[in-house]
Amino acid sequence: FKRINLSVMREDPTLERHFKGHKDTVTCCHFNPNMKQLASSSMDATVMVWNFKPQMRAYRFLGHKDSVLSLKFSPSGHLLASASRDRTIRLWIPSVKGESTVFKAHTNTVRSVDFSADGQSLVSSSDDKTVKLWTVHRQKFQASLIGHVNWVKTAKFSSDGRMVASGSDDKTLKLWDLGSKQCIHTFFEHTGFINAVEFHPSGTSVASANSDSSVKLWDLRMNKLLQHYQSHGSAVNSVSFHPSGNFLLTASSDSTLKIMDLLEGRLCFTLHGHKGPAVAAAFSGNGEYFASGGADEQVMVWKTNFSAEEEDAIKLAPKPSKKQHMHKPIVDSNITNVESGERQVSVLDQPRDCTIPDSEPVNVAPALFSLPSNGTTRMEQETNPDNSIFATTTPLEPQSIPPQLAATLEHMVGQLDVLTQTVSILEQRLTMTENKLKECLDNQQIIALEIKPND
């Protein structure tokens, strides 16, 4: 960790924007690395992409058949991955065209999705108790990481792409080596379910958010607990490191967001803004902003207002070029907890809705195998569920294919999906059989050694 002088911090975090468009709990949010878009997922089965450019409408991506629980922009910002309770992962191009492709191999709810730092791989976790790896450009299932004995809520790549950390309802955090595809360490010290994990930017530690209201920071060099925070009053649902590595942002079911100072090992800010559980929280790539979402169906964008010294330490993405459309609500920054020095930041007025007045988000359905042939426009067909013919698996580039051939391809894709799931199940059973066989052979050797001296 790099030490900074917190006494020169200019002001408390301020609420800059407030987006409304989801019709159920917001489950995840993530900034596009280009800082022109923010994506959010929801229990309403949609993905929203909010454009920061004034007068540019938001996109609502339609395609998932159940709650969307996680999403992530690729490092280039050209792709957006989403994970759903419908057991699929979708890979979207975040534009008005809405092209997407579907990844299927999990046999239960997909809880999380993450890109590797080079953008070449995806990792997903699921209620089928597995972590799966995928190649992005070939769009192929790569491998399963099997070891958890309960739902796997979260899985994240390390910054160097050599490891994956996963957290589960079995109350363990596992570290996986991607070279050998084996678990190299398990942290058993959690007393609650693990809802989220995140690698420190340096790659030397990993944070976990837990259902017992704690946040833990684990040292990966010594494989031991580094820091423990018991600051929330309810389950912690999300964690995000500031790009400098000096701060940790958390979101909790107690309706608050908190920012921990990792250098001092103490709580720095408590932010009140959401009504009901705060489920999602994420810093932007340049560290100047962070976003949050919760059960109140709102997405909020906050400005960190960290010191100039802290901002200079990041040197990542450029600052947004236009700020005239940002609005600052009244913030009470005078409440101080004398014992811990914690700053309470409360939004006193109703946050301003910064979506464009009288303008609904553009509904974007998945790309079709073929263009409409009944005289309606493509956008009309995509936004009318009764007329839409969605493909089971859709290409990233729109193609014009005769309807009969499209139907045949859809059937073939459906059969391939079934085969993929079958192979995944067989793979798991084969692993179990191999383990049993190894156990039998070991026992046989032990028995042989015991009998030999008697002879």
Side-chain angles (χ1 to χ4, degrees):
F1 300 127
K2 179 182 176 182
R3 182 167 293 279
I4 61 165
N5 183 6
L6 291 178
S7 63
V8 298
M9 191 172 283
R10 290 197 295 269
E11 54 182 302
D12 297 337
T14 51
L15 182 60
E16 296 283 312
R17 280 189 166 201
H18 157 98
F19 294 113
K20 283 185 175 180
H22 284 297
K23 299 175 182 178
D24 207 335
T25 300
V26 177
T27 56
C28 190
C29 52
H30 191 240
F31 288 89
N32 191 318
N34 64 19
M35 285 305 294
K36 294 179 180 179
Q37 295 175 321
L38 171 71
S40 59
S41 59
S42 170
M43 301 283 278
D44 65 10
T46 69
V47 171
M48 296 286 294
V49 175
W50 312 93
N51 293 290
F52 290 143
K53 189 175 181 180
Q55 306 304 315
M56 196 168 179
R57 297 205 296 180
Y59 306 141
R60 179 184 287 120
F61 291 100
L62 309 173
H64 283 296
K65 297 176 176 63
D66 207 335
S67 304
V68 186
L69 303 178
S70 175
L71 55 71
K72 192 72 178 284
F73 275 106
S74 64
S76 67
H78 296 146
L79 296 172
L80 176 65
S82 58
S84 171
R85 190 166 276 153
D86 66 10
R87 307 181 182 185
T88 70
I89 299 164
R90 278 188 180 266
L91 202 59
W92 308 85
I93 293 178
S95 67
V96 73
K97 291 182 180 180
E99 290 93 348
S100 73
T101 190
V102 182
F103 292 65
K104 287 185 178 181
H106 283 294
T107 56
N108 210 330
T109 298
V110 187
R111 292 280 177 178
S112 75
V113 66
D114 188 37
F115 278 97
S116 59
D118 61 7
Q120 300 297 311
S121 301
L122 275 174
V123 65
S124 58
S125 65
S126 169
D127 286 0
D128 64 12
K129 305 175 189 176
T130 70
V131 174
K132 294 190 184 296
L133 299 168
W134 315 76
T135 58
V136 174
H137 296 297
R138 291 189 178 183
Q139 301 167 24
K140 299 290 184 183
F141 167 71
Q142 204 171 25
S144 286
L145 307 179
I146 302 172
H148 285 292
V149 295
N150 207 332
W151 297 353
V152 189
K153 292 282 191 66
T154 177
K156 292 290 179 68
F157 280 107
S158 61
S159 55
D160 60 8
R162 295 180 180 179
M163 286 194 300
V164 162
S166 61
S168 167
D169 276 6
D170 64 11
K171 301 181 182 180
T172 67
L173 188 160
K174 288 183 179 291
L175 297 176
W176 305 86
D177 175 68
L178 295 184
S180 64
K181 306 293 190 298
Q182 297 296 314
C183 177
I184 55 176
H185 188 75
T186 302
F187 294 101
F188 292 99
E189 295 86 347
H190 294 85
T191 57
F193 303 149
I194 301 173
N195 294 326
V197 295
E198 186 83 16
F199 277 95
H200 187 272
S202 68
T204 59
S205 60
V206 63
S208 63
N210 311 296
S211 65
D212 63 2
S213 74
S214 72
V215 176
K216 290 178 167 62
L217 195 62
W218 303 93
D219 187 335
L220 301 183
R221 294 162 294 189
M222 302 295 290
N223 289 331
K224 66 178 184 179
L225 185 63
L226 192 64
Q227 292 181 351
H228 175 272
Y229 297 93
Q230 197 76 42
S231 303
H232 283 290
S234 190
V236 185
N237 301 311
S238 182
V239 287
S240 178
F241 281 104
H242 188 264
S244 67
N246 296 332
F247 301 96
L248 184 68
L249 170 68
T250 61
S252 169
S253 294
D254 65 8
S255 80
T256 68
L257 307 174
K258 290 182 185 286
I259 298 177
M260 318 293 180
D261 172 10
L262 301 179
L263 302 177
E264 301 293 336
R266 64 179 177 85
L267 177 60
C268 192
F269 293 106
T270 295
L271 300 138
H272 303 269
H274 288 284
K275 296 177 181 178
V279 180
F283 276 112
S284 64
N286 60 9
E288 293 184 20
Y289 299 91
F290 59 92
S292 62
D296 56 7
E297 305 173 5
Q298 300 182 65
V299 178
M300 297 181 177
V301 178
W302 309 73
K303 186 169 175 59
T304 56
N305 293 321
F306 287 168
S307 67
E309 184 179 346
E310 178 69 21
E311 292 172 2
D312 290 342
I314 302 166
K315 297 180 181 178
L316 291 176
K319 296 181 180 180
S321 57
K322 297 184 180 180
K323 293 186 179 179
Q324 64 269 23
H325 56 282
M326 298 287 204
H327 303 284
K328 292 187 178 181
I330 300 171
V331 173
D332 178 8
S333 60
N334 298 319
I335 306 172
T336 304
N337 187 322
V338 178
E339 292 182 3
S340 65
E342 169 199 355
R343 304 288 289 277
Q344 299 273 347
V345 182
S346 302
V347 179
L348 296 183
D349 65 341
Q350 178 64 26
R352 298 191 185 185
D353 188 349
C354 294
T355 51
I356 308 303
D358 303 319
S359 177
E360 288 296 317
V362 178
N363 289 328
V364 184
L368 305 181
F369 271 117
S370 58
L371 295 173
S373 57
N374 58 0
T376 59
T377 64
R378 179 176 177 186
M379 184 57 73
E380 286 172 348
Q381 183 162 0
E382 286 181 337
T383 55
N384 185 345
D386 295 329
N387 294 331
S388 295
I389 308 171
F390 299 131
T392 305
T393 304
T394 56
L396 287 176
E397 291 81 23
Q399 301 176 15
S400 181
I401 301 173
Q404 289 182 346
L405 180 57
T408 304
L409 287 171
E410 287 180 35
H411 178 72
M412 290 172 64
V413 167
Q415 293 299 312
L416 285 171
D417 288 337
V418 173
L419 285 171
T420 302
Q421 293 185 31
T422 304
V423 168
S424 176
I425 294 168
L426 288 172
E427 179 192 43
Q428 294 178 34
R429 290 181 178 175
L430 182 60
T431 302
M432 292 172 64
T433 304
E434 287 174 346
N435 292 336
K436 287 290 183 184
L437 184 59
K438 185 176 181 296
E439 187 179 333
C440 289
L441 290 171
D442 290 342
N443 290 335
Q444 205 171 33
Q445 285 182 345
I446 292 169
I447 292 168
L449 290 171
E450 288 177 351
I451 293 172
K452 194 173 180 181
N454 294 332
D455 294 341

